[in-house]
């Protein structure tokens, strides 16, 4: 899956909105401990996906030369 930062940002925004709606509905029907466990489960699923897909580590490319505004 080749998504750029904008795709990931829009996906995160969409999932945040879905969780906001579902959290509101769930808070009317479930105890708070159960809602918390559901939220943690969702976080673990996303973290597991990021680790398995290799997106867990940020790639850092240091400057090859000094930036124009000063020494490195």
């Amino acid at each position: 899956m080749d998504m750029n930062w904008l795709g990931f940002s829009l996906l995160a925004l969409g999932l945040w909105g879905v969780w906001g709606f579902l959290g509101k509905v769930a808070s009317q029907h479930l105890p708070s401990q159960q809602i918390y466990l559901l939220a943690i489960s969702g976080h673990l699923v996303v973290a597991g996906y990021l680790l398995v897909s290799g997106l867990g580590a940020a790639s850092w490319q240091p400057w090859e030369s000094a930036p124009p505004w000063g020494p490195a």
Side-chain angles (χ1 to χ4, degrees), residues 20-32 35:
F21 174 74
L22 292 178
K24 178 68 172 177
V25 171
S27 69
Q28 296 173 355
H29 301 287
L30 298 173
S32 60
I35 296 170

Side-chain angles (χ1 to χ4, degrees), residues 53-68:
S53 67
L55 297 174
S59 62
W60 172 255
Q61 299 296 326
W63 292 90
E64 291 185 16
S65 63

